Amino acid sequence: MARRKQIYEGKAKILYEGPEPGTVIQYFKDDATAFNNQKHAVLEGKGVLNNRISEFVMLGLERICIPTHFIKRLNMREQLIYHVEIIPLEVVIRNVAAGSICKRLGFKEGEPFARPVVEFYYKKDELGDPLVSEDQINAFGWANPQEIDDMMAYTLRINDYLCGMFAGVGIQLIDFKVEFGRQYDGDLMRIILADEISPDSCRLWDIETGEILDKDRFRKDLGGLTDAYTEVAKRLGILRKNEEISDTEEISDTKGPVLVSNNDDKKD
Ligand code: UDP
């Protein structure tokens, strides 16, 4: 079999040429990085978990008519996606103050915002992904006003969907990052959701205990990152209760999210 052509290697993923024109294979690595690559580790099983969680989220978003690059999962570490021209922006949406906004604007971690706030960061590692304004994005040609509107509207809808999805399994969605790309079809172009949505790109706190279930476990040296991601996957019904992840074993059909009820009187 011919060796696949690698198109790109990022911090947590590798892209290979896909089997058909306009397709790409996205491979999820176990590498974790933080603070603009200053901190690095290989956390066994992380790639498998992110592949599964991102697949689950993308399929859910397709169901509410958010166009995404996801076509299908190929195996435990790879998914087939549409080729897009990545817009060089990280779109962050925040429901509760955490991370960089606390340092930048003095919010207290855990303080909820009156409404979700969207921010754009310019994707440029050498510059540490700086915060940019819509006017800068437009003036410097990174995206036009219509594209900015589309990204903003999609991000707000994704946030509503994910807030509900995670709340249903006892998790609070604090913030997350998404990326978009342009997909061309002849003269037509559309903006679609790209990259991944996983605990690497979200902040997820257990509603009852406040336990951190996302990449902050690595950033803050808390340990137990793959256990936390496994817990997220189990609650979403991606892994069964006693199941552990593996690179080779295909996971059988799962039942879907394990809903959490606030009703203490409920009878089983
Ligand atoms: N985020 C990400 N990739 C980045 C920067 C941020 O996925 O390069 C996510 C991060 O996991 C969090 C949200 O975007 O869910 C907001 O991150 P923040 O701006 O607070 O930056 P951080 O504190 O992670 O440096």
PDB file of all heavy atoms in Angstrom, residues 230-246:
ATOM      1  N   THR A 230     -11.890  10.570  29.976  1.00  0.00           N
ATOM      2  CA  THR A 230     -12.655   9.311  29.960  1.00  0.00           C
ATOM      3  C   THR A 230     -14.003   9.527  30.659  1.00  0.00           C
ATOM      4  O   THR A 230     -15.048   9.048  30.190  1.00  0.00           O
ATOM      5  CB  THR A 230     -11.854   8.193  30.667  1.00  0.00           C
ATOM      6  OG1 THR A 230     -10.615   8.042  29.986  1.00  0.00           O
ATOM      7  CG2 THR A 230     -12.591   6.872  30.660  1.00  0.00           C
ATOM      8  N   GLU A 231     -13.981  10.269  31.748  1.00  0.00           N
ATOM      9  CA  GLU A 231     -15.218  10.563  32.488  1.00  0.00           C
ATOM     10  C   GLU A 231     -16.191  11.343  31.592  1.00  0.00           C
ATOM     11  O   GLU A 231     -17.386  11.047  31.549  1.00  0.00           O
ATOM     12  CB  GLU A 231     -14.858  11.367  33.756  1.00  0.00           C
ATOM     13  CG  GLU A 231     -16.037  11.876  34.565  1.00  0.00           C
ATOM     14  CD  GLU A 231     -16.875  10.767  35.199  1.00  0.00           C
ATOM     15  OE1 GLU A 231     -16.376   9.634  35.295  1.00  0.00           O
ATOM     16  OE2 GLU A 231     -18.045  11.048  35.566  1.00  0.00           O
ATOM     17  N   VAL A 232     -15.677  12.335  30.852  1.00  0.00           N
ATOM     18  CA  VAL A 232     -16.530  13.103  29.932  1.00  0.00           C
ATOM     19  C   VAL A 232     -17.138  12.150  28.891  1.00  0.00           C
ATOM     20  O   VAL A 232     -18.348  12.171  28.635  1.00  0.00           O
ATOM     21  CB  VAL A 232     -15.724  14.241  29.229  1.00  0.00           C
ATOM     22  CG1 VAL A 232     -16.554  14.921  28.150  1.00  0.00           C
ATOM     23  CG2 VAL A 232     -15.233  15.263  30.252  1.00  0.00           C
ATOM     24  N   ALA A 233     -16.291  11.280  28.322  1.00  0.00           N
ATOM     25  CA  ALA A 233     -16.765  10.337  27.291  1.00  0.00           C
ATOM     26  C   ALA A 233     -17.819   9.389  27.861  1.00  0.00           C
ATOM     27  O   ALA A 233     -18.804   9.077  27.195  1.00  0.00           O
ATOM     28  CB  ALA A 233     -15.583   9.556  26.719  1.00  0.00           C
ATOM     29  N   LYS A 234     -17.627   8.954  29.091  1.00  0.00           N
ATOM     30  CA  LYS A 234     -18.599   8.036  29.706  1.00  0.00           C
ATOM     31  C   LYS A 234     -19.920   8.740  29.952  1.00  0.00           C
ATOM     32  O   LYS A 234     -20.988   8.199  29.673  1.00  0.00           O
ATOM     33  CB  LYS A 234     -18.046   7.467  31.012  1.00  0.00           C
ATOM     34  CG  LYS A 234     -17.034   6.367  30.753  1.00  0.00           C
ATOM     35  CD  LYS A 234     -16.552   5.701  32.006  1.00  0.00           C
ATOM     36  CE  LYS A 234     -15.561   4.604  31.601  1.00  0.00           C
ATOM     37  NZ  LYS A 234     -14.808   4.085  32.713  1.00  0.00           N
ATOM     38  N   ARG A 235     -19.843   9.967  30.471  1.00  0.00           N
ATOM     39  CA  ARG A 235     -21.096  10.683  30.739  1.00  0.00           C
ATOM     40  C   ARG A 235     -21.876  10.949  29.455  1.00  0.00           C
ATOM     41  O   ARG A 235     -23.097  10.950  29.448  1.00  0.00           O
ATOM     42  CB  ARG A 235     -20.798  12.010  31.436  1.00  0.00           C
ATOM     43  CG  ARG A 235     -20.311  11.799  32.845  1.00  0.00           C
ATOM     44  CD  ARG A 235     -20.603  13.016  33.658  1.00  0.00           C
ATOM     45  NE  ARG A 235     -19.745  13.052  34.817  1.00  0.00           N
ATOM     46  CZ  ARG A 235     -19.707  14.055  35.664  1.00  0.00           C
ATOM     47  NH1 ARG A 235     -20.480  15.110  35.464  1.00  0.00           N
ATOM     48  NH2 ARG A 235     -18.906  14.034  36.696  1.00  0.00           N
ATOM     49  N   LEU A 236     -21.129  11.197  28.367  1.00  0.00           N
ATOM     50  CA  LEU A 236     -21.816  11.469  27.085  1.00  0.00           C
ATOM     51  C   LEU A 236     -22.314  10.178  26.442  1.00  0.00           C
ATOM     52  O   LEU A 236     -22.971  10.213  25.397  1.00  0.00           O
ATOM     53  CB  LEU A 236     -20.880  12.210  26.123  1.00  0.00           C
ATOM     54  CG  LEU A 236     -20.544  13.657  26.522  1.00  0.00           C
ATOM     55  CD1 LEU A 236     -19.467  14.233  25.606  1.00  0.00           C
ATOM     56  CD2 LEU A 236     -21.787  14.555  26.484  1.00  0.00           C
ATOM     57  N   GLY A 237     -21.948   9.046  27.052  1.00  0.00           N
ATOM     58  CA  GLY A 237     -22.405   7.756  26.516  1.00  0.00           C
ATOM     59  C   GLY A 237     -21.551   7.265  25.370  1.00  0.00           C
ATOM     60  O   GLY A 237     -21.918   6.343  24.652  1.00  0.00           O
ATOM     61  N   ILE A 238     -20.353   7.870  25.212  1.00  0.00           N
ATOM     62  CA  ILE A 238     -19.450   7.461  24.128  1.00  0.00           C
ATOM     63  C   ILE A 238     -18.717   6.183  24.550  1.00  0.00           C
ATOM     64  O   ILE A 238     -18.466   5.297  23.740  1.00  0.00           O
ATOM     65  CB  ILE A 238     -18.436   8.598  23.819  1.00  0.00           C
ATOM     66  CG1 ILE A 238     -19.182   9.851  23.360  1.00  0.00           C
ATOM     67  CG2 ILE A 238     -17.423   8.158  22.793  1.00  0.00           C
ATOM     68  CD1 ILE A 238     -18.325  11.104  23.344  1.00  0.00           C
ATOM     69  N   LEU A 239     -18.364   6.111  25.826  1.00  0.00           N
ATOM     70  CA  LEU A 239     -17.787   4.886  26.388  1.00  0.00           C
ATOM     71  C   LEU A 239     -18.795   4.331  27.376  1.00  0.00           C
ATOM     72  O   LEU A 239     -19.483   5.101  28.042  1.00  0.00           O
ATOM     73  CB  LEU A 239     -16.504   5.197  27.174  1.00  0.00           C
ATOM     74  CG  LEU A 239     -15.276   5.670  26.435  1.00  0.00           C
ATOM     75  CD1 LEU A 239     -14.151   5.916  27.432  1.00  0.00           C
ATOM     76  CD2 LEU A 239     -14.828   4.624  25.431  1.00  0.00           C
ATOM     77  N   ARG A 240     -18.841   3.002  27.482  1.00  0.00           N
ATOM     78  CA  ARG A 240     -19.733   2.431  28.492  1.00  0.00           C
ATOM     79  C   ARG A 240     -19.080   2.530  29.861  1.00  0.00           C
ATOM     80  O   ARG A 240     -17.881   2.764  29.973  1.00  0.00           O
ATOM     81  CB  ARG A 240     -20.052   0.982  28.141  1.00  0.00           C
ATOM     82  CG  ARG A 240     -21.197   0.898  27.146  1.00  0.00           C
ATOM     83  CD  ARG A 240     -21.323  -0.474  26.610  1.00  0.00           C
ATOM     84  NE  ARG A 240     -20.082  -0.841  25.951  1.00  0.00           N
ATOM     85  CZ  ARG A 240     -19.752  -2.082  25.647  1.00  0.00           C
ATOM     86  NH1 ARG A 240     -20.539  -3.067  25.946  1.00  0.00           N
ATOM     87  NH2 ARG A 240     -18.624  -2.338  25.016  1.00  0.00           N
ATOM     88  N   LYS A 241     -19.879   2.330  30.888  1.00  0.00           N
ATOM     89  CA  LYS A 241     -19.451   2.590  32.272  1.00  0.00           C
ATOM     90  C   LYS A 241     -18.107   1.973  32.660  1.00  0.00           C
ATOM     91  O   LYS A 241     -17.243   2.648  33.205  1.00  0.00           O
ATOM     92  CB  LYS A 241     -20.526   2.126  33.242  1.00  0.00           C
ATOM     93  CG  LYS A 241     -21.110   3.303  33.983  1.00  0.00           C
ATOM     94  CD  LYS A 241     -22.020   2.887  35.058  1.00  0.00           C
ATOM     95  CE  LYS A 241     -22.149   4.088  35.984  1.00  0.00           C
ATOM     96  NZ  LYS A 241     -23.116   3.971  36.946  1.00  0.00           N
ATOM     97  N   ASN A 242     -17.919   0.694  32.337  1.00  0.00           N
ATOM     98  CA  ASN A 242     -16.701   0.022  32.801  1.00  0.00           C
ATOM     99  C   ASN A 242     -15.648  -0.089  31.707  1.00  0.00           C
ATOM    100  O   ASN A 242     -14.655  -0.792  31.862  1.00  0.00           O
ATOM    101  CB  ASN A 242     -17.037  -1.374  33.322  1.00  0.00           C
ATOM    102  CG  ASN A 242     -18.007  -1.264  34.462  1.00  0.00           C
ATOM    103  OD1 ASN A 242     -17.836  -0.400  35.322  1.00  0.00           O
ATOM    104  ND2 ASN A 242     -19.039  -2.091  34.454  1.00  0.00           N
ATOM    105  N   GLU A 243     -15.886   0.621  30.596  1.00  0.00           N
ATOM    106  CA  GLU A 243     -15.008   0.472  29.444  1.00  0.00           C
ATOM    107  C   GLU A 243     -13.811   1.423  29.544  1.00  0.00           C
ATOM    108  O   GLU A 243     -13.946   2.552  29.984  1.00  0.00           O
ATOM    109  CB  GLU A 243     -15.822   0.832  28.207  1.00  0.00           C
ATOM    110  CG  GLU A 243     -15.253   0.351  26.921  1.00  0.00           C
ATOM    111  CD  GLU A 243     -16.312   0.451  25.836  1.00  0.00           C
ATOM    112  OE1 GLU A 243     -17.170   1.358  25.927  1.00  0.00           O
ATOM    113  OE2 GLU A 243     -16.292  -0.362  24.941  1.00  0.00           O
ATOM    114  N   GLU A 244     -12.656   0.943  29.120  1.00  0.00           N
ATOM    115  CA  GLU A 244     -11.490   1.811  29.028  1.00  0.00           C
ATOM    116  C   GLU A 244     -11.158   1.984  27.551  1.00  0.00           C
ATOM    117  O   GLU A 244     -11.511   1.155  26.723  1.00  0.00           O
ATOM    118  CB  GLU A 244     -10.294   1.201  29.766  1.00  0.00           C
ATOM    119  CG  GLU A 244     -10.522   1.057  31.273  1.00  0.00           C
ATOM    120  CD  GLU A 244     -10.919   2.364  31.963  1.00  0.00           C
ATOM    121  OE1 GLU A 244     -10.418   3.422  31.561  1.00  0.00           O
ATOM    122  OE2 GLU A 244     -11.743   2.311  32.891  1.00  0.00           O
ATOM    123  N   ILE A 245     -10.461   3.065  27.217  1.00  0.00           N
ATOM    124  CA  ILE A 245     -10.130   3.292  25.815  1.00  0.00           C
ATOM    125  C   ILE A 245      -8.960   2.424  25.382  1.00  0.00           C
ATOM    126  O   ILE A 245      -8.114   2.047  26.192  1.00  0.00           O
ATOM    127  CB  ILE A 245      -9.770   4.769  25.543  1.00  0.00           C
ATOM    128  CG1 ILE A 245      -8.841   5.283  26.638  1.00  0.00           C
ATOM    129  CG2 ILE A 245     -10.969   5.616  25.404  1.00  0.00           C
ATOM    130  CD1 ILE A 245      -7.537   5.682  26.131  1.00  0.00           C
ATOM    131  N   SER A 246      -8.943   2.116  24.089  1.00  0.00           N
ATOM    132  CA  SER A 246      -7.779   1.417  23.547  1.00  0.00           C
ATOM    133  C   SER A 246      -7.644   1.831  22.096  1.00  0.00           C
ATOM    134  O   SER A 246      -8.586   2.314  21.482  1.00  0.00           O
ATOM    135  CB  SER A 246      -7.953  -0.087  23.680  1.00  0.00           C
ATOM    136  OG  SER A 246      -8.345  -0.632  22.461  1.00  0.00           O
TER     137      SER A 246
END
